[in-house]
């Protein structure tokens, strides 16, 4: 451990702050913890997990829309992207099963974002894509599902 107070490390060297905080927790030296920044970081971790979920879900939904509405442009790259982002979601659920509930809560919101992204990327009118998702949450997570 360094002689620098942990709260000063947060601004000076974030990685060292993490190491020092972990060491203090392991040593049960709770009185020396930089509680304010520790709480902030824990809250940020939760927000980052949710953001990663939303980002991956939007990518999947956008590619499913492109796959369905631009069949002449289907490619292995699109299938690869679908598989990659579905696996990322499965990893999120494996380590944070409680985020499945958030996945369902944010599904419709992410679909609207994906709909706009698909419209821009394909140069197709947004009205080409249904207002409500034509894909179920189960289909979105199914590595073998492709809209034909």
């Amino acid at each position: 451990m360094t002689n620098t107070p942990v709260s000063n490390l947060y601004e000076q060297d974030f990685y060292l702050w993490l190491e020092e905080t972990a060491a203090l927790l392991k040593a049960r030296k709770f009185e020396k913890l930089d509680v304010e920044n520790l709480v902030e970081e824990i809250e940020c971790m939760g927000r980052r997990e949710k953001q990663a979920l939303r980002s991956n879900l939007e990518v999947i939904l956008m590619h499913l829309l492109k796959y369905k509405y631009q069949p002449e442009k289907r490619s292995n790259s699109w299938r690869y992207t679908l598989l990659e982002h579905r696996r990322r979601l499965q990893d999120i659920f494996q380590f944070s099963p409680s985020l499945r509930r958030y996945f369902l809560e944010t599904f419709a919101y992410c679909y609207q974002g994906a709909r706009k992204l698909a419209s821009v990327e394909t140069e197709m009118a947004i009205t080409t894509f249904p207002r409500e998702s034509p894909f179920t949450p189960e289909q979105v997570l199914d590595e073998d599902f492709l809209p034909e």
Side-chain angles (χ1 to χ4, degrees):
M1 284 202 241
T2 67
N3 290 331
T4 307
V6 179
S7 59
N8 292 348
L9 283 178
Y10 185 79
E11 297 296 330
Q12 296 170 5
D13 186 335
F14 181 71
Y15 185 77
L16 185 56
W17 176 84
L18 287 172
E19 286 183 326
E20 293 291 319
T21 299
L24 289 170
L25 286 166
K26 286 177 185 175
R28 300 188 172 280
K29 295 183 178 180
F30 304 125
E31 69 285 350
K32 293 187 176 187
L33 286 172
D34 176 10
V35 175
E36 185 177 325
N37 286 319
L38 182 57
V39 168
E40 182 179 327
E41 286 304 316
I42 289 171
E43 290 172 344
C44 283
M45 287 171 61
R47 286 191 297 273
R48 282 192 299 267
E49 286 294 306
K50 284 182 171 182
Q51 177 53 41
L53 186 150
R54 284 192 312 270
S55 176
N56 286 296
L57 178 54
E58 268 192 6
V59 169
I60 294 167
L61 287 166
M62 178 186 70
H63 276 76
L64 288 173
L65 286 170
K66 291 184 341 181
Y67 199 90
K68 181 176 175 99
Y69 291 93
Q70 277 194 320
E72 71 283 357
K73 293 193 176 184
R74 290 177 182 167
S75 69
N76 284 332
S77 172
W78 287 2
R79 287 188 291 279
Y80 172 84
T81 298
L82 284 165
L83 180 59
E84 171 69 21
H85 289 272
R86 283 169 163 159
R87 287 189 172 173
R88 288 181 187 183
L89 281 182
Q90 291 303 332
D91 286 347
I92 289 171
F93 296 144
Q94 180 180 351
F95 294 107
S96 300
S98 63
L99 284 176
R100 281 189 182 274
R101 183 177 63 247
Y102 182 72
F103 169 80
L104 296 173
E105 291 169 4
T106 197
F107 190 87
Y109 173 81
C110 288
Y111 176 72
Q112 294 310 315
R115 187 173 173 248
K116 288 177 187 172
L117 291 170
S119 173
V120 169
E121 190 165 315
T122 62
E123 297 182 343
M124 298 170 86
I126 196 162
T127 54
T128 304
F129 308 107
R131 287 191 179 274
E132 302 294 321
S133 177
F135 318 113
T136 67
E138 294 76 22
Q139 289 171 326
V140 166
L141 295 174
D142 181 351
E143 289 184 358
D144 297 320
F145 172 76
L146 292 171
E148 298 296 336

